[in-house]
Amino acid sequence: MKTIGITGGVGAGKSRILSYLEKNCNCRILLADEAAHRVREAGQPAYERLVGILGRDVLGEDGQIDRGRMAAKIFLDKKMLGQVNAVIHPAVREYILGEIGKERQSGKRDAFFLEAALLIEEGYGQLLDELWYIYADEKTRRSRLMQSRGYDDARISGIFASQLPEAEFRRHCKVVIDNSGSLGDTYKQIDEILREAGLKK
């Protein structure tokens, strides 16, 4: 089973591509955001440590950590943000490695795709067989974010400035998929990549 990381700037269209991969490749797809949500759940090892840092007032009526309350607290407190990240990041990594291990053991999948915004920054290139960069030019990404999320230019510029530059994505990623044009064109690229890797359904 091949392990592949999917990354790219905001607005590059990663979700559409993951959906296509799911249909056209015998794979498991895991989103790092989903993993981060799972490790915060009651009963998970990170839960009690997070409640210890954040306080019980972050819990919702169901006893789970309320994302909105947690975000509000760590937004105001850099030290607390650092403490929370020091719990969540290793827990997410452990969870992801555990899921990869389960899939390897089952022997049912040809590939395991992990999607994460901070794939490169968090060092997942060392844990996975290869990284794929979903590229779209800035104009296309800007337009998508305005239409799909209603963001204005200033907000989009701020997000872009906080992300890795294109050259850095390309330096770390073995495969580049250009998602600036039509979906048909993107899907053709993916079909070719999957065929070459022996992963096409």
Side-chain angles (χ1 to χ4, degrees), residues 10-13 16 140-151 156:
V10 66
R16 281 260 175 90
T140 301
R141 288 166 60 210
R142 227 171 243 285
S143 164
R144 283 177 187 157
L145 290 168
M146 284 175 173
Q147 287 168 16
S148 64
R149 303 190 198 179
Y151 290 175
I156 293 168

Side-chain angles (χ1 to χ4, degrees), residues 179-190:
N179 192 31
S180 304
S182 71
L183 276 173
D185 181 47
T186 300
Y187 294 158
K188 270 186 205 160
Q189 291 174 64
I190 296 169

Side-chain angles (χ1 to χ4, degrees), residues 82-154:
Q83 291 173 322
V84 165
N85 283 340
V87 172
I88 288 180
H89 291 317
V92 166
R93 184 177 285 241
E94 205 171 305
Y95 178 83
I96 288 165
L97 289 173
E99 293 302 299
I100 289 173
K102 281 183 209 167
E103 294 295 350
R104 276 200 202 286
Q105 215 166 1
S106 80
K108 291 177 182 170
R109 310 280 189 188
D110 296 329
F112 186 107
F113 288 98
L114 170 68
E115 186 277 322
L118 300 177
L119 206 66
I120 294 165
E121 297 92 322
E122 294 292 330
Y124 281 102
Q126 282 83 58
L127 300 177
L128 304 167
D129 294 326
E130 59 190 57
L131 306 185
W132 292 8
Y133 171 40
I134 313 306
Y135 165 79
D137 62 68
E138 192 175 309
K139 187 180 170 192
T140 301
R141 288 166 60 210
R142 227 171 243 285
S143 164
R144 283 177 187 157
L145 290 168
M146 284 175 173
Q147 287 168 16
S148 64
R149 303 190 198 179
Y151 290 175
D152 62 21
D153 255 327

Side-chain angles (χ1 to χ4, degrees), residues 36-104:
H37 184 70
R38 288 298 301 277
V39 302
R40 290 199 302 265
E41 288 176 354
Q44 292 293 322
Y47 174 84
E48 289 300 339
R49 290 175 65 200
L50 288 170
V51 173
I53 295 164
L54 295 160
R56 301 201 75 80
D57 55 330
V58 295
L59 300 179
E61 285 176 21
D62 58 358
Q64 300 288 356
I65 294 169
D66 182 284
R67 255 180 114 165
R69 291 178 195 176
M70 181 175 96
K73 275 203 166 193
I74 59 181
F75 180 72
L76 297 169
D77 189 333
K78 285 262 163 61
K79 187 183 171 197
M80 189 182 279
L81 171 63
Q83 291 173 322
V84 165
N85 283 340
V87 172
I88 288 180
H89 291 317
V92 166
R93 184 177 285 241
E94 205 171 305
Y95 178 83
I96 288 165
L97 289 173
E99 293 302 299
I100 289 173
K102 281 183 209 167
E103 294 295 350
R104 276 200 202 286

